[in-house]
Amino acid sequence: MKHPLIKIDEIPAEGTVVVPFFGREVHVYKVNGQPKAVANTCLHFGGPLECRDGKFICPWHGAEYDMQDGRRLKAPARPDARLMVLSTRIEDGVLNYVWGE
Ligand code: FES
């Protein structure tokens, strides 16, 4: 099954674009030219994430995450925390969230 997120040509070359996702939000961006979609949810206490200085930073308590693989870089999120990365597939110029395949 699939759910469209955004047209590929609407994904910025730098930074992220936030798109709606079943009542929540995901950051969509490119890593080495490849689109990536990450839930806009800090794993400390659920705060939103800001893209700054090549990292995701949570303004609530300062946790930081790597944009390439979602791993936690800075507390107070747990050391083993990793952001939720969506499984995706490109079809007809659209980035889709896919599941159950
Ligand atoms: S909710 Fe993100 S650092 Fe606390």
Side-chain angles (χ1 to χ4, degrees):
M1 300 175 72
K2 67 181 181 181
H3 177 77
L5 294 172
I6 189 171
K7 292 180 181 172
I8 293 296
D9 60 11
E10 293 175 345
I11 304 172
E14 295 185 10
T16 74
V17 60
V18 176
V19 301
F21 182 71
F22 297 107
R24 298 180 179 234
E25 294 179 334
V26 294
H27 281 273
V28 180
Y29 55 104
K30 290 182 179 173
V31 174
N32 300 323
Q34 295 300 309
K36 197 169 184 75
V38 169
N40 186 16
T41 305
C42 177
L43 296 173
H44 173 235
F45 210 61
L49 300 169
E50 296 175 356
C51 172
R52 263 191 276 148
D53 303 326
K55 299 178 281 193
F56 283 121
I57 300 174
C58 178
W60 284 10
H61 313 102
E64 295 182 4
Y65 301 89
D66 186 289
M67 289 183 69
Q68 293 205 8
D69 59 13
R71 71 191 154 87
R72 173 266 212 193
L73 298 174
K74 185 177 166 195
R78 289 173 32 150
D80 62 346
R82 191 175 290 262
L83 296 177
M84 292 172 276
V85 178
L86 279 64
S87 55
T88 57
R89 183 174 63 226
I90 299 170
E91 276 184 18
D92 300 326
V94 174
L95 183 68
N96 294 279
Y97 165 57
V98 293
W99 72 97
E101 299 182 355

